[in-house]
Amino acid sequence: MSQQRLTPLYTGVKNHAKKDPIQFHIPGHKKGNGIDPEFREFIGENALSIDLINIGPLDDLHHPHGIIKEAQELAAEAFGADYTFFSVQGTSGAIMTMIMSVCGPGDKIIVPRNVHKSIMSAIIFSGANPIFIHPEIDKNLGISHGITTQSVEKAIEQHPDAKGLLVINPTYFGVSANLKEIVDIAHNANIPVLVDEAHGVHIHFHDELPLSAMQAGADMAATSVHKLGGSMTQSSVLNVKEGLVSPKRVQAIISMLTTTSTSYLLLSSLDVARKQLATVGKQMIENSIQLANKTRDEINLIPGLYCVGKEILGSKAAYDYDPTKLIISIKDLGITGYEVEVWLREKHNIEVELSDLYNILCIITFGDSERETKALINALQELSELHQDKIEARETASVYVPNSPTLALSPRDAFYSETEVISFDYSAGRIIAEFVMVYPPGIPILIPGEVITEENINYIQENLYAGLPVQGPEDATFKKIRVIKERRPIQ
Ligand SMILES: Cc1ncc(COP(=O)(O)O)c(C=O)c1O
């Protein structure tokens, strides 16, 4: 544990910069001397002095043998992994590595349908065939939870030859399944468990939070240290337990997917974030749990608003939850979550994590204090007063979540097929060759290979109309969509 106070990578990089070496190597701005002066002044000379490259003393993320290796080993110890790989390409890079480490062309992988687009990208790159599990839908909130133990059992029974099972734990909204049971079921069938832990770096460091992937015995976890663990944006880790997966193959694949110009600012920030989590993380997370719980209670006193708490637990897919996520249902105000997002921005200079048709999501971390949560509560109070007439007039507001579309072609086959562009409004019944998603959260409404339905078209239009960031297709206006070309008999 005392070793966890060390930061070999950050200290090594800082000491190197302190020596002020004469640099005849990239980056060409040379400690900031050649960078735009206004940017230099803003960003600061210290940051620029450690914007370095993989020269000898600074080790190499592609072949770690020095300070990066030491930092990764300390991270593995902190996360309870056998090996930790640093990613400078976000959790997306780590997720693609996980999938490509276990799947090749034609291999089956069991995944929930509500996965992040990086998982679908990896499925296309690897040529794997997704076996979709339908996630549990919360019809009251209009959000998807995780997958149930029973659905995993069923999927493995039907596809015992699957090369991997991917689980999102916890979800963007902080809900988690019974991961330990799911891992045991998969391991009984010799199937490795890959966890998308983008929203759960902190759960490993506090007993009251859901079990982390490594605690549950999963084989790999792609974990966003940058999202909730205090490192810089884009820096993540891939944690690995040896046995069903080969760390050597993981190293080879992460290296294939990673830039050769790895940022030492990002890498150093992973080293210090790990130190902070391992040494004082528990107390810091405890403070954020308490702050979030207090904020939740106060929001729940505001008419027309509902901030989700532990009462949602008990369904098969909602086994545990992370109270630092404030899911605030605003549907009874008669406006959309996106309208609330914009109103908070314009009237109160408050930015939320995400919004959808029915909710906003605010995250509380150890970067927050009562100053921020009070501002949120005051703003929500004002919002509620503004919409009081609608709260009184409204009966129970209903939410709508579309069914999962049918997959007619493997995503890779669809992606590489001959395609044509047609009118989006008249595309029902055709097989889509593009992704359509709302980002955030980045969960595809349609993926290449799925059959478009009227329901999908209406749902996408509803999201567009509400102003939500629907993206994916080449035609960002959604007038046109790329579909698989149909071959008709020549007349
Ligand atoms: C569930 C989930 N998985 C993976 C990712 C990808 O993480 P990153 O942005 O670090 O690449 C995200 C990002 O929003 C996510 O929400």
Side-chain angles (χ1 to χ4, degrees):
M1 188 63 177
S2 59
Q3 292 280 87
Q4 289 295 331
R5 295 189 197 289
L6 303 178
T7 49
L9 177 51
Y10 166 60
T11 309
V13 170
K14 203 172 59 168
N15 289 344
H16 178 81
K18 244 192 235 154
K19 283 194 223 150
D20 197 17
I22 298 166
Q23 292 179 184
F24 287 107
H25 60 72
I26 57 171
H29 65 65
K30 311 255 175 139
K31 308 168 200 166
N33 290 326
I35 215 161
D36 177 72
E38 190 192 330
F39 183 72
R40 179 175 59 231
E41 201 178 321
F42 179 71
I43 207 89
E45 283 177 13
N46 280 346
L48 292 167
S49 76
I50 63 163
D51 184 26
L52 290 160
I53 193 75
N54 54 337
I55 50 169
L58 301 185
D59 205 358
D60 182 351
L61 187 62
H62 292 266
H63 300 280
H65 53 276
I67 54 179
I68 293 180
K69 181 167 183 279
E70 285 172 43
Q72 290 190 150
E73 282 170 359
L74 284 171
E77 183 187 70
F79 282 105
D82 291 336
Y83 296 87
T84 292
F85 298 88
F86 287 174
S87 166
V88 289
Q89 289 179 196
T91 302
S92 297
I95 282 176
M96 292 188 211
T97 304
M98 289 199 299
I99 294 177
M100 294 176 76
S101 299
V102 297
C103 284
D107 286 340
K108 291 177 185 169
I109 179 160
I110 302 171
V111 291
R113 173 59 183 77
N114 60 327
V115 285
H116 184 259
K117 66 174 183 168
S118 56
I119 292 166
M120 290 304 166
S121 304
I123 283 172
I124 290 178
F125 295 154
S126 64
N129 270 328
I131 306 295
F132 286 129
I133 295 187
H134 198 64
E136 287 258 302
I137 307 290
D138 188 318
K139 289 251 161 75
N140 179 37
L141 296 170
I143 60 174
S144 311
H145 292 326
I147 48 178
T148 64
T149 312
Q150 286 78 356
S151 59
V152 169
E153 249 164 4
K154 224 197 274 175
I156 291 180
E157 215 172 274
Q158 288 174 23
H159 302 279
D161 53 340
K163 289 291 192 305
L165 164 70
L166 190 133
V167 186
I168 311 162
N169 193 76
T171 65
Y172 208 140
F173 292 96
V175 175
S176 68
N178 188 341
L179 187 61
K180 174 86 183 66
E181 219 170 275
I182 289 176
V183 168
D184 290 344
I185 294 166
H187 282 177
N188 280 340
N190 249 351
I191 296 175
V193 180
L194 288 39
V195 180
D196 174 348
E197 204 173 50
H199 300 283
V201 63
H202 56 311
I203 62 178
H204 188 79
F205 299 93
H206 198 288
D207 303 342
E208 273 171 42
L209 297 176
L211 274 194
S212 74
M214 291 297 111
Q215 285 163 339
D219 302 273
M220 287 193 270
T223 308
S224 293
V225 186
H226 72 91
K227 287 196 205 295
L228 300 168
S231 70
M232 287 174 72
T233 294
Q234 223 173 301
S235 61
S236 290
V237 292
L238 172 48
N239 288 321
V240 175
K241 275 216 166 96
E242 205 166 7
L244 293 178
V245 296
S246 150
K248 288 208 169 86
R249 184 153 178 85
V250 173
Q251 172 69 72
I253 291 180
I254 200 165
S255 195
M256 284 167 74
L257 295 173
T258 297
T259 171
T260 38
S261 307
T262 53
S263 161
Y264 278 79
L265 272 166
L266 300 187
L267 292 170
S268 300
S269 81
L270 280 172
D271 201 22
V272 296
R274 181 273 312 151
K275 172 191 147 192
Q276 180 167 262
L277 285 168
T279 56
V280 288
K282 187 167 181 202
Q283 188 54 51
M284 290 171 80
I285 295 162
E286 175 67 34
N287 295 346
S288 26
I289 293 173
Q290 285 186 14
L291 183 60
N293 283 340
K294 189 161 177 237
T295 312
R296 172 180 293 99
D297 290 346
E298 294 199 36
I299 294 172
N300 277 329
L301 296 175
I302 303 175
L305 297 182
Y306 163 49
C307 186
V308 178
K310 54 174 168 298
E311 67 286 345
I312 55 155
L313 300 183
S315 86
K316 285 172 194 154
Y319 178 77
D320 206 350
Y321 91 122
D322 169 6
T324 65
K325 300 286 173 79
L326 301 178
I327 311 169
I328 306 167
S329 166
I330 47 73
K331 66 185 163 80
D332 288 342
L333 299 184
I335 49 176
T336 66
Y338 184 67
E339 285 171 302
V340 176
E341 175 182 330
V342 173
W343 184 85
L344 286 170
R345 176 175 299 135
E346 289 177 353
K347 299 281 184 235
H348 290 272
N349 198 21
I350 290 176
E351 295 288 344
V352 301
E353 170 65 17
L354 69 75
S355 67
D356 62 21
L357 292 173
Y358 315 109
N359 310 287
I360 57 168
L361 177 68
C362 295
I363 58 166
I364 304 295
T365 73
F366 37 68
D368 288 306
S369 67
E370 284 208 22
R371 187 183 85 88
E372 289 81 22
T373 55
K374 274 196 182 133
L376 177 67
I377 294 162
N378 289 342
L380 291 175
Q381 184 75 48
E382 186 185 322
L383 180 79
S384 161
E385 283 159 19
L386 278 174
H387 295 276
Q388 201 170 0
D389 52 330
K390 296 194 204 109
I391 303 168
E392 282 160 9
R394 218 169 160 83
E395 289 169 15
T396 319
S398 62
V399 303
Y400 164 72
V401 183
N403 289 317
S404 294
T406 305
L407 190 69
L409 277 181
S410 86
R412 185 184 175 93
D413 286 348
F415 190 75
Y416 287 111
S417 284
E418 212 179 323
T419 59
E420 60 183 329
V421 172
I422 63 166
S423 159
F424 177 60
D425 290 351
Y426 299 102
S427 60
R430 300 294 298 269
I431 301 173
I432 192 164
E434 307 184 277
F435 286 101
V436 181
M437 78 207 89
V438 182
Y439 188 86
I443 294 163
I445 300 168
L446 285 163
I447 60 168
E450 286 182 333
V451 182
I452 304 168
T453 62
E454 281 298 345
E455 199 188 359
N456 297 139
I457 297 172
N458 294 339
Y459 183 71
I460 290 165
Q461 278 165 345
E462 197 187 342
N463 276 274
L464 283 168
Y465 181 70
L468 285 158
V470 189
Q471 16 171 294
E474 285 166 20
D475 177 10
T477 67
F478 277 84
K479 289 194 174 57
K480 303 274 180 200
I481 196 89
R482 189 169 285 282
V483 295
I484 307 300
K485 196 166 186 170
E486 284 183 342
R487 288 173 196 271
R488 297 233 159 86
I490 299 163
Q491 302 276 347

